[in-house]
Amino acid sequence: MDFKQELGKSLAACLPLSVEDIVSAIETPPDPAMGDYAFPCFKAAKALKKAPPLIAKDVEAAIEKPGFIREIRCAGPYLNFFVDRNVYMGDILAEVLEKGENFGRSDLGGGRNIVIDYSSPNIAKPFHVGHLRSTVIGNALYKIYEFLGYNSIGINHLGDWGTQFGKLITAYKMWSSDEAVKEKGISELTRIYVKFHEEAEKDPALDDEARGFFVKMERDDPEAIALWKKFYDISMVEFNRVYDMLGVKFDYFTGESFYNKKMAAIVDELEEKGLLKEDKGAKIVDLEAEKMPPCLIIRSDGGTLYATRDITAAIYRKNTYDFAKALYLTAMDQSLYFAQVFKVIEKMGYDWAKDLYHVPFGLVSLKDGKLSTRTGRVVLMEDLLNTATAKTLAIIEEKNPSLENKEQVAKDVGIGAVIFNDLYNNRIKDVVFDMDKMTSFEGETGPYVQYTHARCASLISKAGDLPEAFDYSLLDDEASLAVCRLFETFPDKIRDAAAKNEPYIVSRHIMAIAQAFNKFYHDNPVLSCEDENLRNARLAVVMATRIVLATGLGLLGIKAPERM
Ligand code: ARG
């Protein structure tokens, strides 16, 4: 049953407001002593030109109480509703158990496409913790939208084209070799890239040579392309290793180079639409009226830019996937850039520019300082995930040394810890990497939620044959009610997370469920309960918790092991 909806209908029968308006105004009081639902009468007061407390009194007298409501009380401008616990809990638990892993799923998206551009690291550069955020937030949104009936399309817009590859080719020819690159991978490419910059300071001719190589790449010169491809392949081996560890997949790896041959037509279109202006030999789209700096489309040396590729990519994606929405996950420092790109697309006359969303996020810092490339404190993703796994393995060795499959569980939990830590706050907030804190089995961590899930799984398996029917009327304590309330709002939270592109709404909610469950479990013995019917009713709470936690973790891209 949709309780809010039912309550909304009863209220609508005695107020001049629509059911939707009422439902959207219904609140959950912060303190359950004030009721399970509260309806503020301010909107109705406007419509009726009457004081809210008076309306509350009138409605209290007139309303036909829905069956699941035990009591209604007026509190100033508010009407507070108290549910009949047995009816309420029985209804929710039955629904979770019946729907199982589909509890919370919906067809809100109606199968429409949503394009999610995430991760998108740069070839020949290390995949560092800064890229982690884009990857895990994008992956969570991918799963959340799928769960809500959208068809998610995950795109990795690799940074695989640009003048830096001319520099890399120059550097490779002077200071590296096939063997060195094959053996050391991206770290060798980084070494020679850094060396290039040092040497070019002394010898500017190197820059000319690099530019020459990039021009060759753009002209499809076989030698230049073969070297570029070598750097590409080597980088992909490392990136894919990280994606495997994180359990992240993409539908397409269409990076910047994918648009090489497609840009000319778009530049022509910009020209035809009268949007290009000459500026010191370069071509720009003027955005002065929009109070933004101009968007550079063609450089004075004829080269294209990051923006040229993004404008082309957006149009390609619209034509190919006809998306309802397209999201771009990058750090906050690209916010102005995306505003410019979206504006250019709008100026081209594409009304779907309104469906493009930049989804920005804050920086990552280490507990003991900033993360910066200059001081050499680049923390590599792979090292970090391995450290988290090793720490978790040590905890398991201490707590549960006889656990089967320890290595795999340590991976699921260690990596889950890193992901959960990243997704636990509003995106825009900076993420602090505190390895000890995030891998702890206690506190507001991923392992705590996973541990709670595993505790439920273990209780269920120890319970033996599961009952087919439950007498929910035996549950009447506050702790059980608190868990059920959180189940009720779980579907809303998923929708809200999608509407705001904020996975933390899901992670906070499953944390609340895990905490409420542990309180429930502390207050209510389950397997040792003597009354069999009561034991079974409590077991239903355990079973439902296991289901909802597994779903929530899954939506965040985190595994839910059965044992820990
Ligand atoms: N490669 C870029 C970077 O590391 C991110 C690309 C984001 N996606 C896009 N379509 N521009 O900053």
Side-chain angles (χ1 to χ4, degrees):
M1 189 191 321
D2 188 336
F3 294 103
K4 271 195 192 175
Q5 189 71 21
E6 291 304 310
L7 185 56
K9 279 190 209 155
S10 299
L11 283 165
C14 41
L15 285 171
L17 297 174
S18 69
V19 178
E20 292 79 64
D21 278 348
I22 292 173
V23 170
S24 69
I26 293 177
E27 299 168 7
T28 307
D31 176 4
M34 289 159 65
D36 298 292
Y37 303 101
F39 178 70
C41 297
F42 304 110
K43 250 199 199 152
K46 238 186 179 169
L48 290 165
K49 300 201 171 41
K50 207 164 152 187
L54 291 179
I55 299 180
K57 286 227 153 57
D58 290 351
V59 175
E60 186 193 9
I63 193 169
E64 201 165 312
K65 220 167 55 181
F68 63 95
I69 294 292
R70 169 172 56 85
E71 199 191 330
I72 305 178
R73 278 188 224 153
C74 284
Y78 282 89
L79 274 162
N80 291 340
F81 299 87
F82 294 79
V83 295
D84 178 323
R85 290 184 178 183
N86 298 137
V87 179
Y88 176 80
M89 287 198 263
D91 193 280
I92 304 253
L93 290 170
E95 183 181 344
V96 177
L97 296 186
E98 189 204 304
K99 292 195 173 151
E101 60 183 20
N102 288 321
F103 175 69
R105 191 185 281 279
S106 85
D107 56 7
L108 188 76
R112 283 172 301 162
N113 286 343
I114 173 151
V115 168
I116 309 180
D117 175 322
Y118 59 113
S119 193
S120 311
N122 301 318
I123 297 292
K125 299 219 178 122
F127 192 112
H128 58 75
V129 290
H131 290 123
L132 171 76
R133 302 220 62 198
S134 177
T135 309
V136 304
I137 300 170
N139 187 51
L141 291 175
Y142 185 104
K143 288 173 190 280
I144 289 170
Y145 277 102
E146 283 271 311
F147 201 61
L148 295 176
Y150 287 88
N151 178 40
S152 298
I153 297 170
I155 298 186
N156 195 325
H157 190 78
L158 293 161
D160 61 359
W161 203 253
T163 45
Q164 71 271 29
F165 293 97
K167 296 178 186 171
L168 210 55
I169 293 176
T170 309
Y172 172 81
K173 296 186 101 163
M174 297 185 66
W175 307 301
S176 192
S177 65
D178 190 45
E179 301 80 66
V181 168
K182 287 216 170 98
E183 193 196 315
K184 302 198 198 103
I186 291 181
S187 73
E188 171 70 0
L189 299 178
T190 319
R191 180 188 73 83
I192 60 175
Y193 191 67
V194 170
K195 188 168 170 71
F196 178 91
H197 283 272
E198 285 162 9
E199 299 293 326
E201 292 244 322
K202 295 175 241 159
D203 178 9
L206 284 176
D207 276 320
D208 294 330
E209 192 175 328
R211 254 190 297 278
F213 272 117
F214 182 58
V215 171
K216 281 187 169 178
M217 276 170 59
E218 298 231 80
R219 293 197 184 130
D220 257 340
D221 172 82
E223 189 207 359
I225 290 295
L227 285 172
W228 168 81
K229 185 78 170 68
K230 185 204 295 283
F231 306 148
Y232 181 100
D233 291 343
I234 291 216
S235 305
M236 283 316 293
V237 171
E238 290 188 38
F239 295 165
N240 281 327
R241 238 175 17 232
V242 176
Y243 293 139
D244 278 351
M245 289 171 96
L246 288 169
V248 170
K249 291 203 169 58
F250 299 88
D251 295 298
Y252 301 99
F253 281 90
T254 39
E256 296 188 39
S257 68
F258 180 76
Y259 302 99
N260 285 345
K261 305 258 152 59
K262 300 183 167 62
M263 281 182 284
I266 300 299
V267 174
D268 288 348
E269 186 180 334
L270 283 162
E271 191 87 70
E272 277 156 29
K273 291 183 171 165
L275 292 167
L276 287 187
K277 247 173 75 173
E278 287 277 329
D279 184 56
K280 300 185 208 90
K283 288 184 181 163
I284 61 163
V285 176
D286 186 279
L287 297 174
E288 215 185 319
E290 287 81 12
K291 299 198 169 48
M292 284 190 270
C295 184
L296 198 52
I297 303 289
I298 299 283
R299 279 204 315 241
S300 53
D301 65 6
T304 56
L305 292 109
Y306 185 45
T308 326
R309 292 186 269 286
D310 258 326
I311 294 164
T312 308
I315 294 170
Y316 170 85
R317 291 172 189 176
K318 184 65 191 175
N319 292 339
T320 313
Y321 311 115
D322 192 25
F323 53 74
K325 274 199 226 182
L327 314 183
Y328 296 81
L329 282 291
T330 80
M332 225 157 51
D333 58 358
Q334 295 191 35
S335 293
L336 171 62
Y337 165 77
F338 278 108
Q340 291 172 292
V341 165
F342 299 167
K343 187 51 83 179
V344 171
I345 295 168
E346 185 191 316
K347 280 174 156 297
M348 292 173 87
Y350 294 119
D351 62 351
W352 49 264
K354 66 176 186 346
D355 304 323
L356 305 170
Y357 297 85
H358 179 226
V359 181
F361 48 79
L363 304 173
V364 182
S365 61
L366 300 178
K367 188 187 151 207
D368 46 353
K370 278 255 164 204
L371 203 108
S372 111
T373 26
R374 251 173 295 130
T375 57
R377 282 170 60 90
V378 198
V379 179
L380 301 187
M381 212 40 235
E382 227 172 325
D383 295 345
L384 200 126
L385 297 177
N386 285 330
T387 311
T389 302
K391 271 200 182 300
T392 307
L393 189 59
I395 298 175
I396 295 175
E397 292 292 2
E398 190 194 309
K399 292 199 172 209
N400 189 3
S402 59
L403 179 73
E404 265 177 57
N405 225 348
K406 269 185 267 193
E407 272 74 27
Q408 186 58 45
V409 176
K411 265 188 203 156
D412 292 348
V413 176
I415 290 167
V418 174
I419 299 176
F420 194 87
N421 178 66
D422 195 294
L423 297 178
Y424 199 55
N425 286 301
N426 199 304
R427 280 186 269 109
I428 224 71
K429 261 187 91 169
D430 291 354
V431 166
V432 180
F433 257 86
D434 180 341
M435 194 50 95
D436 288 322
K437 202 168 152 196
M438 69 171 117
T439 52
S440 167
F441 283 28
E442 279 131 48
E444 296 178 33
T445 66
Y448 174 80
V449 178
Q450 289 172 310
Y451 190 72
T452 308
H453 169 270
R455 168 177 272 176
C456 293
S458 141
L459 283 169
I460 294 165
S461 82
K462 283 190 195 134
D465 288 339
L466 295 178
E468 309 238 310
F470 302 91
D471 183 356
Y472 297 116
S473 71
L474 298 171
L475 296 172
D476 64 357
D477 64 299
E478 278 301 329
S480 307
L481 184 62
V483 180
C484 291
R485 279 202 190 96
L486 293 165
F487 292 156
E488 187 206 346
T489 45
F490 182 66
D492 284 345
K493 296 287 174 180
I494 301 171
R495 277 194 291 270
D496 200 27
K500 301 189 171 109
N501 294 315
E502 284 283 17
Y504 89 91
I505 295 173
V506 173
S507 39
R508 294 262 162 182
H509 198 68
I510 60 172
M511 175 58 67
I513 292 174
Q515 289 168 337
F517 173 81
N518 286 316
K519 165 108 180 57
F520 156 85
Y521 185 61
H522 178 267
D523 294 359
N524 298 281
V526 180
L527 299 184
S528 60
C529 174
E530 311 233 305
D531 175 342
E532 194 183 332
N533 289 329
L534 182 56
R535 176 199 101 123
N536 288 349
R538 288 176 179 167
L539 202 53
V541 177
V542 178
M543 290 160 68
T545 303
R546 195 194 74 78
I547 290 169
V548 178
L549 291 183
T551 300
L553 288 167
L555 290 175
L556 301 174
I558 300 175
K559 299 257 170 54
E562 298 277 304
R563 299 268 172 282
M564 269 172 75

